[in-house]
Amino acid sequence: QVQLVESGGGSVQAGGSLRLSCAASGYTYSSNCMGWFRQAPGKEREGVAAIYTTGGDTSYADSVKGRFTISRDNAKNTLYLQLNDLKSEDTGVYYCVYKAYSGSWTAGYWGQGTQVTVS
């Protein structure tokens, strides 16, 4: 059973930085993808960033390009999201997700989320 535990959220002023971590265990897919989603109050959940097992390719939402960086440490089974130059619109609950490479995000495994508040 895959388990994902996020940490690192908190409250920060606009322009500040945070680093989110996601400790993973119970991997089941040899070829997989991990990512971060977020959900702001009253809004739909949206994808923020993703990273792929093979080649380490990454992708980002346009709204966070140049400010957020996704990375993973396979030796530690940990996914990271570095958030820089935070804006009020970055406020929300951030979720770590793990899925098979060809699977859908909704069918993947989701963490419980960590709150990020930017004022």
Side-chain angles (χ1 to χ4, degrees), residues 38-55:
R38 68 185 180 188
Q39 187 165 22
K43 295 186 177 181
E44 293 186 355
R45 194 171 294 182
E46 63 173 347
V48 175
I51 187 166
Y52 299 85
T53 307
T54 305

PDB file of all heavy atoms in Angstrom, residues 38-55:
ATOM      1  N   ARG A  38      -2.796  21.442  -5.938  1.00  0.00           N
ATOM      2  CA  ARG A  38      -3.233  22.325  -4.864  1.00  0.00           C
ATOM      3  C   ARG A  38      -4.711  22.665  -5.056  1.00  0.00           C
ATOM      4  O   ARG A  38      -5.231  22.595  -6.161  1.00  0.00           O
ATOM      5  CB  ARG A  38      -2.404  23.605  -4.818  1.00  0.00           C
ATOM      6  CG  ARG A  38      -2.597  24.536  -6.008  1.00  0.00           C
ATOM      7  CD  ARG A  38      -1.640  25.717  -5.918  1.00  0.00           C
ATOM      8  NE  ARG A  38      -1.805  26.626  -7.053  1.00  0.00           N
ATOM      9  CZ  ARG A  38      -0.997  27.650  -7.310  1.00  0.00           C
ATOM     10  NH1 ARG A  38       0.049  27.899  -6.511  1.00  0.00           N
ATOM     11  NH2 ARG A  38      -1.205  28.433  -8.354  1.00  0.00           N
ATOM     12  N   GLN A  39      -5.326  23.030  -3.944  1.00  0.00           N
ATOM     13  CA  GLN A  39      -6.717  23.442  -3.996  1.00  0.00           C
ATOM     14  C   GLN A  39      -6.900  24.649  -3.100  1.00  0.00           C
ATOM     15  O   GLN A  39      -6.658  24.574  -1.884  1.00  0.00           O
ATOM     16  CB  GLN A  39      -7.651  22.309  -3.566  1.00  0.00           C
ATOM     17  CG  GLN A  39      -9.114  22.642  -3.760  1.00  0.00           C
ATOM     18  CD  GLN A  39      -9.999  21.422  -3.677  1.00  0.00           C
ATOM     19  OE1 GLN A  39      -9.633  20.397  -3.093  1.00  0.00           O
ATOM     20  NE2 GLN A  39     -11.181  21.513  -4.259  1.00  0.00           N
ATOM     21  N   ALA A  40      -7.326  25.730  -3.706  1.00  0.00           N
ATOM     22  CA  ALA A  40      -7.618  26.954  -2.967  1.00  0.00           C
ATOM     23  C   ALA A  40      -9.075  26.945  -2.540  1.00  0.00           C
ATOM     24  O   ALA A  40      -9.910  26.279  -3.171  1.00  0.00           O
ATOM     25  CB  ALA A  40      -7.324  28.162  -3.843  1.00  0.00           C
ATOM     26  N   PRO A  41      -9.416  27.679  -1.497  1.00  0.00           N
ATOM     27  CA  PRO A  41     -10.805  27.720  -1.040  1.00  0.00           C
ATOM     28  C   PRO A  41     -11.747  28.149  -2.154  1.00  0.00           C
ATOM     29  O   PRO A  41     -11.516  29.160  -2.824  1.00  0.00           O
ATOM     30  CB  PRO A  41     -10.766  28.760   0.077  1.00  0.00           C
ATOM     31  CG  PRO A  41      -9.362  28.737   0.566  1.00  0.00           C
ATOM     32  CD  PRO A  41      -8.526  28.469  -0.645  1.00  0.00           C
ATOM     33  N   GLY A  42     -12.786  27.359  -2.374  1.00  0.00           N
ATOM     34  CA  GLY A  42     -13.775  27.690  -3.374  1.00  0.00           C
ATOM     35  C   GLY A  42     -13.354  27.438  -4.804  1.00  0.00           C
ATOM     36  O   GLY A  42     -14.088  27.798  -5.737  1.00  0.00           O
ATOM     37  N   LYS A  43     -12.189  26.829  -4.995  1.00  0.00           N
ATOM     38  CA  LYS A  43     -11.707  26.576  -6.353  1.00  0.00           C
ATOM     39  C   LYS A  43     -11.459  25.089  -6.571  1.00  0.00           C
ATOM     40  O   LYS A  43     -11.349  24.323  -5.622  1.00  0.00           O
ATOM     41  CB  LYS A  43     -10.425  27.364  -6.613  1.00  0.00           C
ATOM     42  CG  LYS A  43     -10.602  28.868  -6.604  1.00  0.00           C
ATOM     43  CD  LYS A  43      -9.330  29.568  -7.022  1.00  0.00           C
ATOM     44  CE  LYS A  43      -9.518  31.078  -7.082  1.00  0.00           C
ATOM     45  NZ  LYS A  43      -8.278  31.776  -7.506  1.00  0.00           N
ATOM     46  N   GLU A  44     -11.369  24.714  -7.830  1.00  0.00           N
ATOM     47  CA  GLU A  44     -11.092  23.332  -8.157  1.00  0.00           C
ATOM     48  C   GLU A  44      -9.609  23.013  -7.923  1.00  0.00           C
ATOM     49  O   GLU A  44      -8.751  23.887  -7.980  1.00  0.00           O
ATOM     50  CB  GLU A  44     -11.448  23.061  -9.627  1.00  0.00           C
ATOM     51  CG  GLU A  44     -12.934  23.143  -9.918  1.00  0.00           C
ATOM     52  CD  GLU A  44     -13.260  22.725 -11.341  1.00  0.00           C
ATOM     53  OE1 GLU A  44     -12.315  22.469 -12.122  1.00  0.00           O
ATOM     54  OE2 GLU A  44     -14.444  22.641 -11.668  1.00  0.00           O
ATOM     55  N   ARG A  45      -9.372  21.748  -7.688  1.00  0.00           N
ATOM     56  CA  ARG A  45      -8.001  21.298  -7.519  1.00  0.00           C
ATOM     57  C   ARG A  45      -7.255  21.458  -8.846  1.00  0.00           C
ATOM     58  O   ARG A  45      -7.810  21.174  -9.922  1.00  0.00           O
ATOM     59  CB  ARG A  45      -7.997  19.848  -7.061  1.00  0.00           C
ATOM     60  CG  ARG A  45      -6.686  19.342  -6.543  1.00  0.00           C
ATOM     61  CD  ARG A  45      -6.872  17.969  -5.927  1.00  0.00           C
ATOM     62  NE  ARG A  45      -7.713  18.015  -4.738  1.00  0.00           N
ATOM     63  CZ  ARG A  45      -7.985  16.943  -4.004  1.00  0.00           C
ATOM     64  NH1 ARG A  45      -7.512  15.749  -4.354  1.00  0.00           N
ATOM     65  NH2 ARG A  45      -8.754  17.040  -2.940  1.00  0.00           N
ATOM     66  N   GLU A  46      -5.998  21.898  -8.796  1.00  0.00           N
ATOM     67  CA  GLU A  46      -5.228  22.100 -10.012  1.00  0.00           C
ATOM     68  C   GLU A  46      -3.830  21.506  -9.871  1.00  0.00           C
ATOM     69  O   GLU A  46      -3.258  21.473  -8.776  1.00  0.00           O
ATOM     70  CB  GLU A  46      -5.116  23.598 -10.345  1.00  0.00           C
ATOM     71  CG  GLU A  46      -4.371  24.409  -9.311  1.00  0.00           C
ATOM     72  CD  GLU A  46      -4.134  25.847  -9.736  1.00  0.00           C
ATOM     73  OE1 GLU A  46      -4.328  26.167 -10.925  1.00  0.00           O
ATOM     74  OE2 GLU A  46      -3.735  26.646  -8.876  1.00  0.00           O
ATOM     75  N   GLY A  47      -3.299  21.064 -11.001  1.00  0.00           N
ATOM     76  CA  GLY A  47      -1.945  20.547 -11.005  1.00  0.00           C
ATOM     77  C   GLY A  47      -0.942  21.677 -10.928  1.00  0.00           C
ATOM     78  O   GLY A  47      -1.119  22.716 -11.555  1.00  0.00           O
ATOM     79  N   VAL A  48       0.104  21.469 -10.149  1.00  0.00           N
ATOM     80  CA  VAL A  48       1.136  22.493  -9.965  1.00  0.00           C
ATOM     81  C   VAL A  48       2.429  22.088 -10.666  1.00  0.00           C
ATOM     82  O   VAL A  48       3.003  22.859 -11.424  1.00  0.00           O
ATOM     83  CB  VAL A  48       1.405  22.719  -8.464  1.00  0.00           C
ATOM     84  CG1 VAL A  48       2.562  23.682  -8.275  1.00  0.00           C
ATOM     85  CG2 VAL A  48       0.150  23.236  -7.770  1.00  0.00           C
ATOM     86  N   ALA A  49       2.882  20.873 -10.401  1.00  0.00           N
ATOM     87  CA  ALA A  49       4.152  20.426 -10.970  1.00  0.00           C
ATOM     88  C   ALA A  49       4.193  18.908 -10.954  1.00  0.00           C
ATOM     89  O   ALA A  49       3.521  18.265 -10.140  1.00  0.00           O
ATOM     90  CB  ALA A  49       5.340  20.992 -10.199  1.00  0.00           C
ATOM     91  N   ALA A  50       4.989  18.332 -11.864  1.00  0.00           N
ATOM     92  CA  ALA A  50       5.133  16.883 -11.932  1.00  0.00           C
ATOM     93  C   ALA A  50       6.556  16.524 -12.318  1.00  0.00           C
ATOM     94  O   ALA A  50       7.249  17.315 -12.973  1.00  0.00           O
ATOM     95  CB  ALA A  50       4.151  16.292 -12.936  1.00  0.00           C
ATOM     96  N   ILE A  51       6.964  15.339 -11.902  1.00  0.00           N
ATOM     97  CA  ILE A  51       8.292  14.841 -12.246  1.00  0.00           C
ATOM     98  C   ILE A  51       8.177  13.359 -12.554  1.00  0.00           C
ATOM     99  O   ILE A  51       7.456  12.618 -11.883  1.00  0.00           O
ATOM    100  CB  ILE A  51       9.305  15.119 -11.109  1.00  0.00           C
ATOM    101  CG1 ILE A  51      10.722  14.742 -11.544  1.00  0.00           C
ATOM    102  CG2 ILE A  51       8.913  14.401  -9.816  1.00  0.00           C
ATOM    103  CD1 ILE A  51      11.798  15.290 -10.612  1.00  0.00           C
ATOM    104  N   TYR A  52       8.902  12.911 -13.587  1.00  0.00           N
ATOM    105  CA  TYR A  52       8.789  11.552 -14.066  1.00  0.00           C
ATOM    106  C   TYR A  52       9.997  10.712 -13.672  1.00  0.00           C
ATOM    107  O   TYR A  52      11.109  11.221 -13.563  1.00  0.00           O
ATOM    108  CB  TYR A  52       8.614  11.561 -15.582  1.00  0.00           C
ATOM    109  CG  TYR A  52       7.370  12.297 -16.000  1.00  0.00           C
ATOM    110  CD1 TYR A  52       7.379  13.683 -16.159  1.00  0.00           C
ATOM    111  CD2 TYR A  52       6.162  11.631 -16.185  1.00  0.00           C
ATOM    112  CE1 TYR A  52       6.231  14.371 -16.497  1.00  0.00           C
ATOM    113  CE2 TYR A  52       5.011  12.310 -16.536  1.00  0.00           C
ATOM    114  CZ  TYR A  52       5.049  13.676 -16.686  1.00  0.00           C
ATOM    115  OH  TYR A  52       3.919  14.356 -17.018  1.00  0.00           O
ATOM    116  N   THR A  53       9.749   9.426 -13.470  1.00  0.00           N
ATOM    117  CA  THR A  53      10.824   8.533 -13.056  1.00  0.00           C
ATOM    118  C   THR A  53      11.938   8.492 -14.080  1.00  0.00           C
ATOM    119  O   THR A  53      13.104   8.624 -13.771  1.00  0.00           O
ATOM    120  CB  THR A  53      10.290   7.106 -12.865  1.00  0.00           C
ATOM    121  OG1 THR A  53       9.193   7.122 -12.000  1.00  0.00           O
ATOM    122  CG2 THR A  53      11.383   6.220 -12.319  1.00  0.00           C
ATOM    123  N   THR A  54      11.535   8.278 -15.323  1.00  0.00           N
ATOM    124  CA  THR A  54      12.510   8.112 -16.392  1.00  0.00           C
ATOM    125  C   THR A  54      12.995   9.466 -16.884  1.00  0.00           C
ATOM    126  O   THR A  54      12.219  10.269 -17.363  1.00  0.00           O
ATOM    127  CB  THR A  54      11.890   7.338 -17.563  1.00  0.00           C
ATOM    128  OG1 THR A  54      11.361   6.110 -17.075  1.00  0.00           O
ATOM    129  CG2 THR A  54      12.935   7.072 -18.620  1.00  0.00           C
ATOM    130  N   GLY A  55      14.272   9.711 -16.725  1.00  0.00           N
ATOM    131  CA  GLY A  55      14.850  10.951 -17.225  1.00  0.00           C
ATOM    132  C   GLY A  55      14.668  12.146 -16.325  1.00  0.00           C
ATOM    133  O   GLY A  55      15.313  13.177 -16.518  1.00  0.00           O
TER     134      GLY A  55
END
